[in-house]
Amino acid sequence: MKKFLVPVRWQVETVVMVEAENIEDAIHEAHCVDIDNMPDPDYVGDSFEIISECSIQEVPNASFDPNVVGDFSTWDKMPGGF
């Protein structure tokens, strides 16, 4: 059986508690919350979607491991650098 990389997205929602002087500041503070620390997000119903069928790629061989991280050690030498 072939394997494919299919770009997908979905939405989640939650509430965050921030300290602020007024609503405008609260909105600003909420934008600064680290998304990795947001409490118990809930899936937004019917939000799962394929981003683009044109972007689906067949995996070239059966040894694909999504846990393997690429070598980005030379990115600082690329035009524009990091």
Side-chain angles (χ1 to χ4, degrees):
M1 175 109 20
K2 296 179 181 181
K3 294 187 179 191
F4 295 87
L5 299 174
V6 180
V8 299
R9 77 172 134 221
W10 61 90
Q11 295 179 356
V12 295
E13 63 184 11
T14 191
V15 295
V16 294
M17 185 179 302
V18 297
E19 293 183 9
E21 295 292 325
N22 54 48
I23 291 175
E24 290 79 18
D25 288 345
I27 292 169
H28 173 75
E29 292 300 317
H31 279 285
C32 297
V33 172
D34 182 354
I35 62 172
D36 291 330
N37 295 325
M38 289 194 177
D40 302 321
D42 292 319
Y43 170 71
V44 175
D46 296 325
S47 68
F48 187 90
E49 64 181 329
I50 306 300
I51 295 173
S52 170
E53 289 186 26
C54 298
S55 299
I56 296 173
Q57 299 175 16
E58 184 175 343
V59 176
N61 60 45
S63 65
F64 173 74
D65 183 351
N67 297 314
V68 172
V69 177
D71 176 11
F72 303 105
S73 61
T74 60
W75 277 27
D76 61 334
K77 295 171 183 59
M78 296 176 68
F82 283 93

